[in-house]
Structures are given as structure tokens and as C-alpha cells.
Amino acid sequence: MKNNAGGRPGAVDPGLGAGGGDEWKKATGSRIRVNQVGYLPTGPKGATVVTRSNEPLPWQLRDANGRVVAGGRSTPRGTDQASGQNVQTVDFSRYDRQGRGYTLRMDGQTSLPFDISAQNYAKLRNSAFRFFYHQRSGTPILASLVGEKYARPAGHVGVGANGDDSDVPCQPGVCKYRLDVHGGWYDAADHGKYVVNGGLAVSQLFGTWERAKHSRTGDPKALGDGTLSIPEHRNGVPDVLDEARWEMEFLLRMQVPSGNPLAGMAHHKMHDRAWTGLPMAPQDDPQPRELHRPSTAATLNLAAAGAQCARVFAPYDKAFANRCLGAAKTAWAAAKRHPKLYAPDSDSTGGGAYGDANVTDEFYWAAAELALTTGERPYLDAMRASPLHKAQVFTPVGFGWQSVAPVARLDLATVPGKVPASERRAAQASVVRAANSYLATQRGQAYGLPMPGGPEYYGWGSNSNVLNNLAVLSTAYDITGKDAYRTGALQGMDYLLGRNALNQSYVTGYGKKVSHNLHSRAFAHELDKRLPPPPPGFLAGGPNTALQDPVAQQRLAGCKPQLCYVDDIQSYSTNEYAINWNSALVWMTSFVADQGTGAGRGRV
């Protein structure tokens, strides 16, 4: 199992400003940390309180009018490893009356307000989905859908000095052809488009739909046609699939055409020849665009995502489904011919490197998805022959673009496909074992997240790692119906939405103390007040103990893991966003929203 850095190694942006002082030592507001978005009526409700006391303390839950509606005594937890703070926890899960503006009071402190509501997460789910429309390349972002504040012309369509993604050459020495690779999503704050990040992100959107269709609490109507503000709504196709198709089409265009060297492989990435500064709207980017060398990892991402695409689109667009499957099979065969064409860490000028020198997990993922879709013997044999097939692929740190075997395992456990029932049962047992280990970890974390507290667990994109561990817990609930897994998944969301050492919601637009200066070229309000901040629903990368940018190094030196974050536009190693982080947010907010409605809830 590869170590998952979770982010963009080699992606070093220029022009960073200076900061000052020990940012992590500054006051963080109320010492009572709660989920600022709110709690479901039928779910866990917990808070973490920073205090000098080591004795249980009385607490009160008050409604918006200040009336005491519940009370009790806190549980001392000692010094939290991830924050260095002496903390206690409060559990008010028994209170289930819906309302807005609740607060907790304890130890002379009052928390930020929060709701108890079954509706809040449906709104958050839609905002997390809308992130991808904002990231679309090659099309105007329409004011009628996002408002004048966030509307913009199409980027990279060859207007003026702007590059034309429909006619992109290779880096010198890579190839002699040009490709039309328009469309897709901009990966993150830069204007690059990367197949390995795109493959995981589109897979998680496809997976969100498959979970909605097949799980005990899934609600496909909530993701159906007309549910999102995108141009394709009301076209007879579920909106989540329409949005995912925008990226899938790009992935297909990145495949090397037949008759060329490395035919069937996928180019690893395409982006600007040199880094641009901040701010820089996509339509203003003056840098030439280039295709980078194909890689085995990118090719297998195309194979896996293409096989999944074929499954989910078959009821809606058979021709597109067949196109996806054909590309997936071609990519698989090409990767088998070129199994060690690795993307180097050194290719980091103008865009992230996304280096990867171990593709065992990509081979396993692609074989599993092709087997689920086709049931054909070569893919089943390849899946079973993988050293990962019977291995424990889930690790404490979570998974991401550099460690995709867990994606294969989750799909094998949950997707009704063309693999034997014995394979499904084995995958389900693996997921449940992993979920049990995450619950054990979570019980030891006073901030309630299913990830250990050591500095090695808080890397680039740590928030997405937390979300992906929560997806394992959610899947275990879908498999078993046991409330412990549902409770663990819901509780873990609290961390991302304010119940953390910084009292910080990491999702833009959701919470009172919330990230809003995310590292971005397009939404650079911190640098230019004429520009908007990021729209609601963007997930910040989160604490990163490696401090891989100058602002973090200057302002966070000596920080404890959960405090290694700064809401500064120039802190790209703690405060960027990325498509594969928001796809994890989509998956989990969809799960939580379904629990709020109670759709299909059952027991075994």
C-alpha cells in the first residue's frame, strides 16, 4: 500500500508573500468546538471543550431564545495528541428536537450557534456538487446558474492570448501530434487538468450515484435530473452523471490515438508551460498549454473510470457507455504492454507533478472495475492475481489519488456487478474490518475523527483523508445496517465543520468561523477586492504538518498537527482546494443528507 500524500507534490507556486508570527498560537474564538452547520435529529451530537479543568463540568444546551433545553456533565479527556490541548467532551445526542440557533454553554464559554436539522446537509450536498460546475474548463459559467458574482467567460478556448485546449501540442520530445483535450475540470487553484486526480474524482461522483441506487438509505431522486443548477438539467439524465460526464469526456480525449507510439495510453496531464501568478482568471491565462508524457497510472485511471462510466450510463446513453467501455479496454491492454511508464516527481514546472512509481493499486482498481462491468475472465483473473486482492488495503491515513486500491474494494463490496458473490462477501468483510479499526481510532480522538493524532497523519489534503475514512464507515453501515458505523460516520463530519482544534469550518460558506481565503487564482478576493471569494461548498485541504509553502513555514512553525493550517490565499499546502477532495465531500454529504431524510433506512 502506497503512502498517500493526498495532495500535489511538486506543485510549488511562485510569488508568495510574507507572514508574521506564530499563527497557530492565536486565539481561536470560543473554547467550545461544535459542528457549526449542525446535527441531525437522529444522530450523534457532540462537542469538544478546551479547558484547564480535569474534573467533569456542568454544561447547558440552550435554544435560540436562551432557554435551557438539556444539560449534563462533561467527560475529561486529558491532553489531545493532535492539538496539544487539554480537552473535555460533551454528548447531547439524546436531544432530538429540530431548531436553529442552539448554543452550548460550559466553563464560562458559549459555543458558536448551530442547528439541529434534517435539511442542512441537502443544501451542503448541492453546494459541494456545484463546486464542479465552477471548475469547468472550456465553457462559460452562466450567471443564470451561479449569479453575476461568479459568472465568467469560457477559459482556454483560444480567445486572445488565452490557450486553446482544443489544439494542444506535447512537450518537446513527447509526441509529434496535437490533441483536442478541451473541457474537463480545472484540477485545483491552477488551470491544469490531471488524469489521475480526474479519474478518482469522477469515480467518486459515479460512486455517489451508485450508492444512491444500491444502498439501504440511498435516495436517487435527490441526485436525479433537475436537482443541480447545471446547463444539462432536465435532459433525462441524472444531474450527478451529467456533471461527471464533463470530466469523463476530457479523460477520453487524453488517450493516445491509434497509429501513434504508445497508442491507447493516456497522457498523464496537461497544463501551462510555466506557473502563473495570483490572481489569474482562466480566460486571462496567457501561458501556452502542453500535453505531458503518457503514464501507466493515468492509463489505468482511464480504464477504471471508463469501466464505471459504462455501468452508470448504460440506462441513459448506450452509445456513450459503449465508448467509455471501449476506451477502458483499450487502456487496459495498453497498460499491460507498458506496465512501468511512471510519472516522475520532477515534472513540476507549470503544474503539479503527481508522480507515482507504484501502480500495483491502479492495476487492481482497473481490473476490479472492468470485472464488475463485464464479468469477463481476463479481468477477473487479473483482479484475483493482484497481491492487493486479499490484502488489507485500508490504512489509518486514508486513501487518495496515489492509493486507489480502497476504491476497488469499496465498489466490489457494494456494486451489483458481474463478479461472483463470494468476491462480494470477501470485500464486504474487508470493509467492515477496516471500519471497526476506524471506530477504535475514533474513540481515542477527543475531536471525534477516525484518524490518529500523530503528525505523520496530517499531510497535504488531510481533510480529504478524513472524508475517505468516513466513506469506509458509511459503507460499513450500508452493508450491515449497524448503527455504530452510521454514528461514527456522522460524528466524523463534525471535525470538518468546526469541531476541531481551530474552531474552524473547512467548507466555504458553511459555519460562522469558516475558511474563505482558499488558495485560488479565480477566487482571489484576498488579493483583489474586485474578485469574489470562493463560492460556498469548497473544501480546504486542511492541516499539513509538512508546512510545504513559505506562508505556512513562516506562520505555523512548531504547530501541533491540527493547528498546522492558516486561512491565507498564499498557503497552498494547507488552504488549496482540489477536485478529488470535493468529490470525497460530495460522497459524504450525500450520505449524511440521506440519513437526514431517512430515505430507505433499514436494519439487518
Side-chain angles (χ1 to χ4, degrees):
M1 188 69 179
K2 290 180 293 198
N3 177 50
N4 174 36
R8 299 155 51 74
V12 180
D13 275 355
L16 299 175
D22 296 324
E23 182 80 15
W24 62 275
K25 294 181 181 178
K26 294 181 180 178
T28 53
S30 172
R31 290 186 284 105
I32 303 177
R33 281 71 197 271
V34 297
N35 181 328
Q36 297 169 29
V37 172
Y39 304 86
L40 297 183
T42 56
K45 302 173 189 69
T48 303
V49 184
V50 181
T51 176
R52 294 179 179 177
S53 176
N54 291 311
E55 299 296 326
L57 298 172
W59 59 265
Q60 294 179 335
L61 175 66
R62 299 197 177 204
D63 65 15
N65 296 316
R67 293 174 298 203
V68 177
V69 296
R73 298 186 75 82
S74 60
T75 300
R77 299 294 295 268
T79 301
D80 174 61
Q81 180 186 12
S83 65
Q85 299 164 337
N86 191 71
V87 296
Q88 300 195 25
T89 54
V90 171
D91 185 350
F92 55 105
S93 300
R94 290 185 177 182
Y95 188 83
D96 61 3
R97 182 171 295 178
Q98 296 200 58
R100 299 191 180 280
Y102 287 101
T103 55
L104 273 173
R105 296 190 184 183
M106 175 180 147
D107 198 26
Q109 294 281 298
T110 300
S111 74
L112 291 170
F114 56 87
D115 299 342
I116 298 177
S117 170
Q119 286 76 45
N120 287 9
Y121 284 91
K123 181 181 177 183
L124 176 53
R125 169 172 57 190
N126 284 349
S127 294
F129 266 120
R130 183 176 286 192
F131 163 92
F132 293 95
Y133 178 59
H134 286 287
Q135 291 296 104
R136 285 193 189 188
S137 173
T139 188
I141 306 304
L142 302 175
S144 60
L145 298 178
V146 300
E148 292 290 344
K149 183 177 180 180
Y150 292 110
R152 61 169 171 80
H156 298 99
V157 292
V159 175
N162 198 217
D164 184 0
D165 281 1
S166 66
D167 184 28
V168 179
C170 285
Q171 282 184 311
V174 168
C175 74
K176 296 182 179 179
Y177 51 80
R178 305 170 77 96
L179 288 184
D180 175 359
V181 290
H182 75 277
W185 301 316
Y186 297 119
D187 175 67
D190 63 299
H191 303 138
K193 298 185 290 190
Y194 308 82
V195 172
V196 294
N197 243 23
L200 176 57
V202 79
S203 174
Q204 288 189 304
L205 264 60
F206 288 151
T208 300
W209 173 248
E210 291 194 298
R211 186 203 161 269
K213 287 201 307 176
H214 304 310
S215 73
R216 68 184 57 251
T217 57
D219 184 8
K221 290 182 180 179
L223 304 176
D225 191 23
T227 57
L228 299 177
S229 295
I230 58 175
E232 298 85 0
H233 69 296
R234 303 297 183 192
N235 67 348
V237 177
D239 285 353
V240 60
L241 298 187
D242 282 324
E243 187 58 68
R245 180 170 180 163
W246 190 263
E247 176 72 3
M248 191 68 228
E249 294 268 17
F250 161 73
L251 298 179
L252 294 171
R253 295 182 187 111
M254 291 288 279
Q255 194 163 34
V256 177
S258 61
N260 291 285
L262 302 178
M265 298 288 282
H267 286 273
H268 195 69
K269 57 180 183 169
M270 67 85 57
H271 54 66
D272 291 343
R273 184 177 298 168
W275 284 105
T276 57
L278 281 68
M280 178 65 68
Q283 68 273 13
D284 298 327
D285 176 12
Q287 279 291 325
R289 310 280 273 173
E290 292 179 332
L291 288 162
H292 291 241
R293 195 187 71 175
S295 73
T296 306
T299 304
L300 291 166
N301 267 260
L302 174 58
Q308 199 174 2
C309 168
R311 287 200 305 270
V312 297
F313 270 97
Y316 306 104
D317 189 335
K318 190 64 176 177
F320 183 61
N322 288 339
R323 180 183 165 204
C324 286
L325 186 57
K329 289 183 171 183
T330 297
W332 172 263
K336 295 284 284 184
R337 292 193 300 270
H338 306 283
K340 296 182 180 180
L341 193 57
Y342 302 133
D345 287 332
S346 59
D347 188 12
S348 59
T349 300
Y354 288 102
D356 193 349
N358 180 354
V359 294
T360 306
D361 55 319
E362 282 86 0
F363 269 111
Y364 179 55
W365 180 32
E369 298 293 355
L370 282 160
L372 280 166
T373 299
T374 70
E376 294 174 7
R377 189 60 180 264
Y379 307 122
L380 284 166
D381 288 346
M383 178 186 76
R384 291 166 177 155
S386 170
L388 296 174
H389 188 50
K390 294 185 178 181
Q392 175 54 284
V393 297
F394 300 102
T395 66
V397 75
F399 63 88
W401 63 268
Q402 206 177 20
S403 52
V404 292
V407 184
R409 189 66 52 82
L410 290 170
D411 282 355
L412 287 169
T414 57
V415 175
K418 298 179 179 180
V419 299
S422 59
E423 304 284 2
R424 182 181 176 91
R425 289 192 297 270
Q428 290 177 338
S430 171
V431 171
V432 171
R433 285 194 300 271
N436 288 337
S437 71
Y438 292 151
L439 287 180
T441 296
Q442 189 175 46
R443 287 192 289 270
Q445 296 299 307
Y447 279 108
L449 69 166
M451 192 169 76
E456 66 272 27
Y457 298 104
Y458 287 81
W460 200 320
S462 63
N463 283 344
S464 73
N465 293 346
V466 172
L467 282 164
N468 286 329
N469 281 356
L470 295 177
V472 176
L473 287 170
S474 304
T475 302
Y477 172 69
D478 286 338
I479 291 168
T480 68
K482 293 182 178 179
D483 267 334
Y485 303 121
R486 178 181 184 269
T487 295
L490 296 177
Q491 179 180 305
M493 287 296 292
D494 296 348
Y495 167 80
L496 296 160
L497 297 171
R499 186 185 173 187
N500 53 58
L502 290 171
N503 197 31
Q504 175 94 26
S505 171
Y506 289 112
V507 181
T508 56
Y510 285 86
K512 294 292 184 182
K513 185 176 183 294
V514 62
S515 300
H516 59 276
N517 292 320
L518 275 61
H519 181 72
S520 175
R521 283 164 172 75
F523 308 114
H525 182 75
E526 189 177 6
L527 300 178
D528 186 342
K529 301 306 180 187
R530 296 170 297 179
L531 299 175
F538 281 47
L539 176 71
N544 177 5
T545 58
L547 305 183
Q548 292 164 280
D549 65 75
V551 168
Q553 292 162 7
Q554 293 160 8
R555 297 170 66 173
L556 301 174
C559 57
K560 290 290 185 178
Q562 277 195 27
L563 301 173
C564 295
Y565 169 83
V566 57
D567 186 24
D568 188 297
I569 194 170
Q570 300 286 21
S571 183
Y572 53 83
S573 72
T574 76
N575 205 33
E576 194 170 10
Y577 51 83
I579 56 175
N580 64 307
W581 301 344
N582 248 76
S583 61
L585 181 64
V586 161
W587 204 102
M588 272 309 302
T589 54
S590 189
F591 173 85
V592 179
D594 286 348
Q595 309 314 304
T597 62
R601 188 170 180 192
R603 294 286 184 272
V604 294

